[in-house]
Amino acid sequence: MNEASILGTTHGATPGMVAILPFVGLLLAIAVLPLIPRTARWWEHNRNRLIVSLSFAAMTIGYYVIAHGGSKALQVGEHAILGEYIPFIVVLFALYVISGGISLGGDRPAHPLTNTGLLALGTVLASLIGTTGASMLLIREVLQTNRERKHVTHTVIFFIFLVSNVGGSLLPIGDPPLFLGYLQGVPFFWTLSLWKEWLILSTVLLSVYYVWDTLMYRREELRDLVRDEAEVTRLRLRGGLNLVWLAAVVLTVAVIKPGEVLPMVGIKTFPFLRELILLGLVGVSLGWTNPKIRIENGFKYHAILEVAALFIGIFLCMQPALEILDHRRLELQQIVGTPARLFWATGGLSGFLDNAPTYLVFLRLACTDGLTNVTDISLRDGLFVDQGKLTALSLGAVFFGAMTYIGNGPNFMVNSIAEQQGVRMPSFFGYLLYSVCILVPVFLVLTAFFF
């Protein structure tokens, strides 16, 4: 293979394989730097995370300048930042800040049944207010309830599995990939057809968690259990008006589509109208909510800034990988053409490429230019998609988002909040070991039954 083909300069369209090296490097940095004693403390500062993230992003942009010219580099940067990163981070920021103004106060005894109930509640709420909103609303209450216990890591891990990912399967507002599918023409309520897979996976994970937590509960020291039973306060909701602002965020994201006409108003939206409204709702929440609520919640911007710092590099560095996948669509259709293969291919990449853009690539890959079956779903641009394939790639994107910390935006935030409150969370690879051992066997069973 000559240098031109490696760089991807022969045709000027598809990036060469060398272009994905910065992305691989960034993923390795996220995974390895926290494990090295000399860099672990340095890595804790978001400024340093941003430096690493932007350094790898600069390599990607530099590749495009060298291999494809400045105009291509500018186009890629504009698409990644303006088209994907800003809408992504603004939605997460709005949900994070507004939900941070809600205090679900109280400290119930951290019995396994109590913890399982909290995770089940979050799993249901995730489809209604989004995985980010549900995660930020409940993670502090889960940590508060378990503050007297020593063994809490497994609870946060299952929280990420269920509340930050699996729970958001039933509505487009639940998880970013499904919302992107809605924008491409998938009917709003079509995702309700995923209820069987959602229910089975949620039930299995909640059952496994209940058994696991019961075993961990028995390992707690008696004095901690006595203190847990003694230090009890009733549940109390404060800052409830923020639930209205969360509903407004969901409505804004669902209704306002950039460049399209607003329903019932007849006015075409201008760029970033949606983001301006979301930031306005953040301002309203900050202005109308008693500051003491966020102080009592231990609310800090560190977690969302960590996501912002890392994902700006991720969104830029993953563009060559996504382009390569898109340009090899016809070839890949032969390889991952069945629902089962789509489920695992979409899922496998969703855990590392971020599930939202990965979903779009595989949705395009699964589409046909004409109607091949009467049950096919009609999308934008005259494309059609088989419902079985759409189910497979939708579930793959949402479920496998739980495989790594970077698979879905809330994962990092929940991990960061837990660490801030003294929970010893596993490293990137440590978490991956949990997800492989717990999730992959269940995914294999789902494949056998549904695909």
Side-chain angles (χ1 to χ4, degrees):
M1 182 179 293
N2 59 37
E3 181 180 357
S5 60
I6 294 175
L7 290 174
T9 57
T10 54
H11 301 290
T14 308
M17 296 303 295
V18 69
I20 68 173
L21 292 180
F23 181 64
V24 174
L26 178 55
L27 293 182
L28 287 174
I30 294 172
V32 173
L33 290 180
L35 304 179
I36 302 175
R38 290 187 178 182
T39 59
R41 186 174 296 275
W42 180 86
W43 181 251
E44 293 176 0
H45 298 280
N46 284 331
R47 177 192 60 200
N48 298 329
R49 292 188 176 110
L50 181 62
I51 290 173
V52 172
S53 181
L54 291 180
S55 296
F56 283 106
M59 296 178 194
T60 299
I61 295 300
Y63 162 82
Y64 275 108
V65 171
I66 295 171
H68 301 281
S71 60
K72 174 67 174 179
L74 183 62
Q75 178 186 358
V76 169
E78 180 180 355
H79 173 73
I81 301 300
L82 301 183
E84 295 181 348
Y85 174 73
I86 290 179
F88 169 83
I89 202 64
V90 169
V91 170
L92 289 186
F93 178 74
L95 292 170
Y96 179 83
V97 175
I98 295 173
S99 60
I102 304 173
S103 173
L104 188 61
D107 185 359
R108 310 305 299 169
H111 299 158
L113 189 60
T114 301
N115 285 335
T116 304
L118 286 172
L119 295 190
L121 174 62
T123 303
V124 174
L125 285 177
S127 283
L128 300 176
I129 61 174
T131 52
T132 299
S135 296
M136 296 305 101
L137 176 63
L138 288 176
I139 184 57
R140 295 181 180 88
E141 174 58 25
V142 169
L143 294 174
Q144 173 69 13
T145 296
N146 288 270
R147 65 189 176 94
E148 294 88 4
R149 290 182 54 176
K150 294 291 193 301
H151 302 93
V152 185
T153 300
H154 68 287
T155 297
V156 180
I157 290 173
F158 275 87
F159 186 97
I160 294 175
F161 289 170
L162 288 157
V163 183
S164 301
N165 291 277
V166 174
S169 306
L170 297 182
L171 287 175
I173 57 177
D175 214 39
L178 303 183
F179 176 69
L180 292 178
Y182 167 62
L183 294 182
Q184 295 298 313
V186 178
F188 188 86
F189 291 108
W190 177 85
T191 47
L192 289 175
S193 66
L194 306 177
W195 71 270
K196 292 180 181 179
E197 296 88 345
W198 169 84
L199 182 60
I200 290 174
L201 182 56
S202 299
T203 301
V204 170
L205 290 179
L206 287 169
S207 300
V208 172
Y209 170 75
Y210 177 76
V211 173
W212 194 321
D213 196 46
T214 299
L215 296 175
M216 290 296 102
Y217 188 81
R218 294 171 180 171
R219 293 179 58 186
E220 300 286 350
E221 295 182 12
L222 180 59
R223 61 182 180 182
D224 292 330
L225 296 180
V226 170
R227 188 160 58 96
D228 181 47
E229 295 288 342
E231 298 179 5
V232 174
T233 56
R234 65 183 181 88
L235 291 176
R236 184 179 63 165
L237 180 68
R238 299 178 62 202
L241 187 59
N242 283 292
L243 292 173
V244 176
W245 309 139
L246 281 178
V249 169
V250 172
L251 183 64
T252 299
V253 173
V255 172
I256 298 180
K257 304 175 185 178
E260 297 190 10
V261 176
L262 285 173
M264 297 182 295
V265 179
I267 301 175
K268 188 175 182 180
T269 59
F270 57 84
F272 300 113
L273 171 63
R274 180 177 58 200
E275 286 69 34
L276 288 174
I277 294 175
L278 293 178
L279 292 176
L281 290 170
V282 169
V284 170
S285 174
L286 291 172
W288 285 21
T289 305
N290 187 336
K292 292 183 179 179
I293 295 177
R294 286 190 169 84
I295 294 175
E296 292 172 0
N297 277 340
F299 177 84
K300 297 178 182 179
Y301 289 97
H302 179 86
I304 189 64
L305 290 177
E306 178 180 354
V307 174
L310 293 177
F311 272 82
I312 190 171
I314 289 172
F315 270 93
L316 281 164
C317 291
M318 72 181 178
Q319 295 306 311
L322 293 174
E323 279 197 63
I324 291 171
L325 288 174
D326 193 35
H327 281 87
R328 299 180 63 182
R329 181 163 67 102
L330 294 178
E331 177 185 343
L332 291 172
Q333 280 180 340
Q334 304 300 319
I335 301 175
V336 293
T338 66
R341 291 176 180 176
L342 269 175
F343 175 71
W344 284 92
T346 306
L349 289 178
S350 291
F352 295 92
L353 291 177
D354 184 75
N355 57 5
T358 302
Y359 171 93
L360 279 182
V361 170
F362 280 92
L363 177 61
R364 187 79 178 181
L365 189 150
C367 285
T368 59
D369 296 325
L371 188 67
T372 59
N373 193 303
V374 293
T375 60
D376 286 355
I377 294 176
S378 176
L379 304 180
R380 291 170 50 187
D381 303 324
L383 297 175
F384 296 85
V385 62
D386 175 77
Q387 290 205 47
K389 292 181 178 180
L390 182 59
T391 296
L393 65 93
S394 298
L395 294 175
V398 175
F399 290 175
F400 280 78
M403 288 296 294
T404 70
Y405 285 137
I406 65 172
N408 201 16
N411 301 2
F412 253 131
M413 289 187 282
V414 169
N415 174 71
S416 181
I417 290 172
E419 289 183 333
Q420 289 174 32
Q421 297 200 22
V423 178
R424 189 186 180 98
M425 293 298 293
S427 66
F428 182 93
F429 290 118
Y431 176 88
L432 182 61
L433 181 61
Y434 274 98
S435 63
V436 168
C437 293
I438 298 169
L439 295 178
V440 170
V442 187
F443 293 161
L444 287 170
V445 174
L446 287 177
T447 303
F449 274 94
F450 292 103
F451 307 125

